Amino acid sequence: MFFKPELPDDFILGTATASYQVEGAGKEDGRTSCIWDDFAKVPGAVYNAQDGSVAADQYHRYKEDISLMSDLGFKYYRFSVSWPRVLPNGGTDVNPKGIEYYRNLCRELHAKGMKACCTIYHWDMPSEIQAQGGWAERSTAYKLAYLAKVLFKELGDQVDMWITINEAMCITILGYYLGVHAPGIKDKDQYIRSIHHVNLAHGLIMQEYRKTGLKAPIGITHNLETPRSATSSPKDRLACDHHRAIRSEVYTMPLFKGQYPDYVTKELGWVFPVEDGDMNLISQPIDFLGINYYSEHVLRWSDTALFNAEAVPRWEEHTSGINWAITPHGLLRLLEWANTCAGGKLPIYITENGAACDDRLVTDPATGEKRVHDTQRIRYLADHLAICSQAVREGIPLKGYFCWSFIDNYEWTHGYTKRFGIVYCDYDTQERIPKDSAYYLRDVMAGYGD
Ligand code: PNW
């Protein structure tokens, strides 16, 4: 038994994917390799060395996918652009086939009465740009801004909503400090530099965009973390504050205040490679803030743990696929915090939320239909949508929600073993099978869902 989420009539419900995770066609029509193609080849980096060369084959099946989205009732599709498909080898020559693909995708969405939400950077950096230093180098920010300029020119008449960059935290911490995501670097100096260069890239893209006079809203998506303290002790609370400064505020404070957090610059003594004018570029007004949310951390102080914060045992149910705690109320706390940071008036979208579950494909004995009864995911989505309606009631300018993901896809280091889709992908046949959660969202979008 679920409650129907009470959402305003103009509240957007969409669904999301990212280029490397769904497109496939890794070597087709001029696309060259990206850092995830390379990382997948590093022994032990990715489950079974799986890569995105085929994935859910959306490059060839976008019409079928959009038709399914539209049948379910979605009005928005969030996708991302593959940098090496549009600019092979990370150069400056535009690949017409790459542009054609994204124009066709947008046209197909519009033909179905849907809107296109385009993320410019969702992690698939051309290998050549990494070879020149990747995000540790300032020049990379200018190279991404060049890609953005190309996209504004070539797709500006088609895209209804732009997102500059997806999850700076994952790009920097996972990619350059912990080394668990591409490019697999573990280097504190490169990590600190990468933070500033990703922030700068966002600012440069914003500057390019405002020059074009295009009117579609543009924003950035962060996976912000506001951990909850395990106890009420000041020390444990401090550990959470520190964690939040490192995981969230090194991105949000430059964006909203034009400065880096004191804890990081003064107490930790990190020196960001800031040049004159950078902070003004980074803090230009945006049209909305995108937030990706999966789970809330609970932390306590530790003298020995990284940044003095360590996780504690949890009581909540965990998702069956990836073992992340299910914490819908954490989303409300996060929205309240983010809304305060953003000044209280900036539209906010949840640009990703969803669950990896242990999905089983079954055949319905009565009808012979293939089905996936993903009850846990339905509950997860329903509980988070209920929080969205509560946030709206509290006056938070939350304008929409994109579920992650439309279809099962390449889950980075986990390869194809983790399924986040509301649509099941049979990777042997590329058959799409809507899971029960897809029918649940269909009912919500039709005005029911209870
Ligand atoms: C986000 N972590 O990634 C991404 O935006 C998606 O591409 C991804 O599929 C989705 O969340 C689900 O994971 C993350 O290890 C990947 O903390 C890893 C982490 C967080 C977010």
Side-chain angles (χ1 to χ4, degrees):
M1 176 66 184
F2 304 110
F3 293 100
K4 170 175 169 253
E6 296 289 343
L7 295 163
D9 288 343
D10 59 354
F11 192 88
I12 288 170
L13 280 172
T15 182
T17 64
S19 46
Y20 192 75
Q21 296 180 271
V22 295
E23 280 179 6
K27 293 206 168 100
E28 276 175 66
D29 292 340
R31 181 195 177 275
T32 57
S33 70
C34 78
I35 54 175
W36 275 92
D37 294 307
D38 304 330
F39 192 57
K41 294 193 179 79
V42 175
V46 173
Y47 176 82
N48 268 357
Q50 292 177 335
D51 65 22
S53 53
V54 177
D57 196 31
Q58 191 167 79
Y59 191 75
H60 299 111
R61 293 165 199 268
Y62 67 93
K63 287 190 180 168
E64 178 187 349
D65 284 352
I66 291 170
S67 172
L68 181 50
M69 284 171 210
S70 150
D71 285 351
L72 291 167
F74 286 108
K75 292 281 180 275
Y76 272 74
Y77 178 40
R78 174 181 177 228
F79 59 93
S80 78
V81 166
S82 157
W83 187 344
R85 197 181 290 292
V86 172
L87 300 175
N89 306 305
T92 52
D93 290 345
V94 179
N95 173 16
K97 288 277 189 195
I99 295 296
E100 193 186 309
Y101 172 66
Y102 295 108
R103 285 193 71 82
N104 287 341
L105 182 86
C106 293
R107 281 207 201 98
E108 194 65 23
L109 287 166
H110 294 144
K112 296 281 183 196
M114 294 180 64
K115 304 255 188 220
C117 172
C118 176
T119 305
I120 295 167
Y121 185 73
H122 198 132
W123 309 357
D124 37 5
M125 174 182 286
S127 305
E128 293 76 6
I129 295 183
Q130 187 57 49
Q132 293 154 23
W135 287 115
E137 284 302 315
R138 187 175 173 90
S139 58
T140 297
Y142 290 84
K143 289 173 186 163
L144 184 61
Y146 173 78
L147 170 69
K149 189 176 169 183
V150 167
L151 298 180
F152 297 150
K153 176 164 173 278
E154 303 286 348
L155 304 178
D157 62 331
Q158 296 290 326
V159 170
D160 303 289
M161 183 174 178
W162 292 95
I163 294 172
T164 58
I165 292 173
N166 181 72
E167 297 192 351
M169 190 271 276
C170 284
I171 297 170
T172 54
I173 296 196
L174 304 185
Y176 287 80
Y177 190 57
L178 301 175
V180 294
H181 272 195
I185 290 167
K186 294 182 193 166
D187 181 299
K188 191 161 166 204
D189 177 58
Q190 289 198 48
Y191 160 54
I192 293 170
R193 294 171 61 75
S194 73
I195 292 171
H196 184 63
H197 296 146
V198 172
N199 286 336
L200 176 64
H202 163 78
L204 292 168
I205 297 172
M206 288 303 303
Q207 187 180 43
E208 286 298 339
Y209 189 70
R210 298 306 187 203
K211 278 195 238 162
T212 65
L214 288 167
K215 292 283 176 283
I218 183 166
I220 185 167
T221 278
H222 282 302
N223 54 330
L224 300 174
E225 289 183 10
T226 49
R228 167 158 62 90
S229 178
T231 76
S232 60
S233 90
K235 231 176 163 186
D236 289 345
R237 292 210 163 137
L238 190 63
C240 291
D241 289 348
H242 289 177
H243 182 98
R244 190 178 65 199
I246 288 162
R247 306 278 258 199
S248 299
E249 286 165 358
V250 291
Y251 313 105
T252 54
M253 283 195 57
L255 186 63
F256 295 122
K257 301 242 177 320
Q259 63 190 60
Y260 282 100
D262 281 352
Y263 166 66
V264 171
T265 53
K266 299 208 169 106
E267 282 187 51
L268 295 180
W270 292 7
V271 180
F272 295 98
V274 180
E275 296 190 8
D276 276 357
D278 285 3
M279 300 316 277
N280 285 338
L281 273 175
I282 296 168
S283 58
Q284 287 165 88
I286 51 177
D287 300 326
F288 65 88
L289 174 67
I291 294 177
N292 292 351
Y293 179 80
Y294 290 91
S295 185
E296 183 182 60
H297 295 270
V298 186
L299 302 176
R300 71 170 164 224
W301 179 274
S302 149
D303 289 328
T304 52
L306 184 66
F307 305 126
N308 295 127
E310 73 179 5
V312 296
R314 309 292 297 267
W315 56 270
E316 296 95 340
E317 179 184 346
H318 285 53
T319 59
S320 55
I322 206 165
N323 206 32
W324 290 353
I326 303 176
T327 54
H329 282 89
L331 175 59
L332 189 61
R333 281 185 275 272
L334 174 59
L335 285 169
E336 287 165 352
W337 178 79
N339 185 40
T340 306
C341 293
K345 291 200 177 62
L346 188 69
I348 296 176
Y349 291 87
I350 293 166
T351 41
E352 285 178 27
N353 175 246
C357 301
D358 186 12
D359 297 323
R360 302 284 151 153
L361 190 61
V362 296
T363 304
D364 188 303
T367 63
E369 278 179 326
K370 291 181 188 168
R371 300 294 301 263
V372 178
H373 301 305
D374 55 339
T375 317
Q376 187 187 52
R377 183 175 293 106
I378 296 175
R379 210 161 357 103
Y380 181 101
L381 296 173
D383 289 349
H384 287 80
L385 283 170
I387 292 294
C388 291
S389 54
Q390 189 170 339
V392 172
R393 276 200 302 279
E394 284 184 11
I396 294 173
L398 178 66
K399 303 294 180 194
Y401 171 101
F402 293 73
C403 94
W404 183 272
S405 176
F406 169 66
I407 189 164
D408 294 335
N409 59 52
Y410 181 72
E411 180 51 29
W412 310 114
T413 55
H414 301 287
Y416 296 95
T417 58
K418 306 294 178 195
R419 293 179 176 271
F420 273 92
I422 53 164
V423 172
Y424 187 92
C425 183
D426 180 333
Y427 293 113
D428 294 330
T429 61
Q430 291 295 349
E431 190 184 350
R432 275 80 168 124
I433 299 127
K435 304 178 192 177
D436 286 358
S437 55
Y439 299 128
Y440 165 70
L441 288 180
R442 176 201 63 194
D443 287 357
V444 169
M445 289 182 285
Y448 303 93
D450 50 357

